[in-house]
């Protein structure tokens, strides 16, 4: 199991420590909306920063953008979201309570409805004589509920333009495709990346932050020549990556058995093309880089009947949350659907001149997508450890993700130690997110920082006044070493970046500190 904590307990922990609060709590809250607290916003920003560095700044073939949340309503008509972006909802004929059909059947009967049509679900509801969980009234016929949030743009009452809060970030990248290719030196294959807020009018938000009405998506739209079949940036690391796969055929047989396969085998089996496979591997490698364990992840192939209107092949990356293995990220082969639909609706050509073939083409698209709040939640679940020996929680976040990198403590608040500790804090805070803590015993201060994931704590003691050295304590092992203040910035940077370990420091002659 990925976590020692239930999702309800995680919500309490996040609120107590200042990671996440229910939005509008003093007014009773509002389902599906959350606020990031002081620690949460730091952690969330760190996750987004690492994503942007990996998928944009460290690559030559991807550029970024940040599109508007509200755009021309014809975008959503062209993309198919007005007609095809919905969930099936069960409505009680008596009290009018609404429940999302797939969630209801999953909770009550443990049935996976992926790919089921409305008549199949109606038949199950009738056969099992399922009723409203609130009043036991019978359900009406299933209805399709569109998830787009609508709004009105314009000041004149009753005459404004109906628009939508975006349901995905992808459409910004498609409608700006021509502008980006005209103003940047890009050539196929290349990608456009974006991190941004999205909105879906979920029927039944649930599982804390996992399924909410306002959330953040990070995704790449990667454009490839439509006739290109081979990927020229594969490495052995990509091809030999082992994954747990729940394939479409197994699901169609109503089974859940997973197989262990490599990315290369998935290509050889014809499940996806090379570029699709490459981006699936890239997603998995990034998730590993932020600390998620391979054994807690699986790939689920979409069955044909559940594919989105724009996709010819889609794979979910599921994580073992406390409430089950659920989608953390996705990867869809969108083909030429979106550019073609926008070209038809706008009457504008959305083509790119390909230097290699000397022809204008409409590229095909591979789309790796991450639900960033879901990554945030997975990172917390993975990091949470109830350490019985210490008697407190230890949040073992990757040092790069930790909201606070360094805690700085004077051993006592006299004899000049507090002033020396303040000087160390001033030295470090320009480079690292630091906290200064002078309250309570050093052991209690260690525990407080363990609970919020601070990887390194520094204690200034009486010896510091003599040798100008301090003690660094490692969160995960509780090992301590003595380091000269003049080497402190470089040492911490090396530790956080993973270029140095406590064991390595000891081998280089750093003396273990007295505990």
């Amino acid at each position: 199991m990925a976590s020692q904590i239930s999702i309800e307990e995680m919500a309490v922990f996040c609120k107590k420590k200042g990671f996440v609060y229910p939005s509008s709590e003093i007014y009773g809250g509002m389902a599906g909306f959350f606020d990031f607290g002081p620690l949460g916003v730091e952690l969330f920003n760190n996750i987004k920063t690492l994503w942007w560095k990996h998928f944009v700044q460290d690559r030559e073939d991807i550029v970024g953008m940040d599109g508007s949340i509200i755009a021309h309503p014809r975008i959503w008509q062209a993309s198919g979201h007005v007609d095809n972006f919905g969930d099936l909802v069960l409505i009680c004929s008596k009290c009018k309570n609404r429940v999302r059909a797939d969630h209801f059947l999953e909770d009550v009967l443990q049935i996976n409805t992926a790919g089921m049509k409305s008549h199949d679900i109606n038949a199950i509801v009738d056969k099992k004589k399922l009723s409203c969980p609130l009043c036991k009234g019978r359900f009406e016929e299933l209805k399709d509920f569109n998830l787009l949030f609508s709004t009105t743009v314009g000041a004149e009452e009753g005459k404004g333009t109906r628009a939508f809060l975006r349901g995905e970030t992808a459409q910004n990248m498609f409608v700006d495709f021509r502008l980006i290719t005209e103003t940047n030196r890009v050539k196929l294959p290349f990608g456009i990346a974006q991190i941004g807020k999205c909105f879906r009018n979920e029927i039944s938000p649930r599982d804390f932050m996992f399924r909410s009405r306002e959330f953040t998506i990070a995704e790449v739209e990667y454009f490839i020549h439509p006739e290109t079949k081979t990927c020229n940036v594969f490495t052995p690391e990509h091809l030999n990556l082992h994954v747990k796969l729940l394939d479409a055929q197994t699901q169609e047989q109503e089974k859940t058995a997973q197989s262990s396969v490599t990315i290369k085998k998935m290509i050889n089996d014809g499940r996806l093309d090379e570029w699709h496979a490459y981006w699936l591997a890239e997603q998995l490698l990034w998730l590993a880089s932020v600390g998620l364990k391979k054994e807690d992840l699986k790939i689920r192939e979409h069955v044909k009947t559940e594919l989105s209107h724009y996709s010819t092949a889609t794979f979910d990356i599921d994580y073992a949350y406390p409430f089950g293995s659920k989608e953390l990220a996705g990867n869809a082969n969108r083909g030429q659907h979106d550019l073609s639909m926008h070209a038809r609706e706008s009457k504008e050509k959305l083509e790119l001149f390909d230097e290699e073939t000397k022809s204008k083409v409409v590229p095909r698209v591979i789309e790796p997508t991450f639900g960033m709040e879901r990554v945030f939640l997975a990172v917390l679940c993975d990091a949470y450890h109830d350490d019985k020996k210490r008697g407190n929680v230890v949040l073992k976040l990757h040092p790069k993700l930790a909201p606070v990198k360094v805690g700085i403590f004077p051993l006592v608040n006299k004899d000049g130690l507090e002033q020396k500790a303040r000087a160390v804090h001033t030295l470090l805070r320009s480079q690292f997110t630091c906290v200064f803590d002078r309250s309570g015993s050093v052991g209690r201060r260690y525990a407080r920082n363990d609970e919020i994931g601070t990887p390194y704590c520094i204690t200034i003691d009486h010896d510091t006044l003599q040798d100008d050295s301090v003690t660094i304590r490692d969160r995960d092992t509780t090992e301590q070493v003595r380091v000269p203040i003049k080497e402190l910035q470089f040492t911490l940077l090396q530790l956080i970046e993973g270029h140095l370990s406590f064991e390595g420091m000891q081998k280089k002659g750093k003396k273990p500190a007295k505990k």
Side-chain angles (χ1 to χ4, degrees), residues 359-372:
S359 62
K360 289 185 177 181
V361 297
V362 176
R364 67 183 181 92
V365 176
I366 301 296
E367 180 191 69
T369 303
F370 296 82
M372 296 305 270

Side-chain angles (χ1 to χ4, degrees), residues 387 390 394-397 399 405 407 409 446 449-450 453-459 471-482 492 495-496 500-503 505-506 513 515:
D387 193 313
R390 296 190 209 183
V394 181
L395 202 60
K396 296 186 177 182
L397 295 168
K405 301 292 191 288
F409 318 144
Y446 282 153
N449 278 273
D450 285 348
T454 306
Y456 305 108
C457 290
I458 295 171
T459 303
T471 296
I472 303 181
R473 182 247 196 192
D474 179 72
R475 175 198 64 206
D476 295 344
T477 66
T478 72
E479 291 295 319
Q480 300 180 11
V481 294
R482 198 84 180 164
L492 286 169
L495 286 168
I496 291 167
L500 183 64
S501 65
F502 264 59
E503 182 182 5
M505 292 169 68
Q506 291 166 354
K515 295 186 179 180

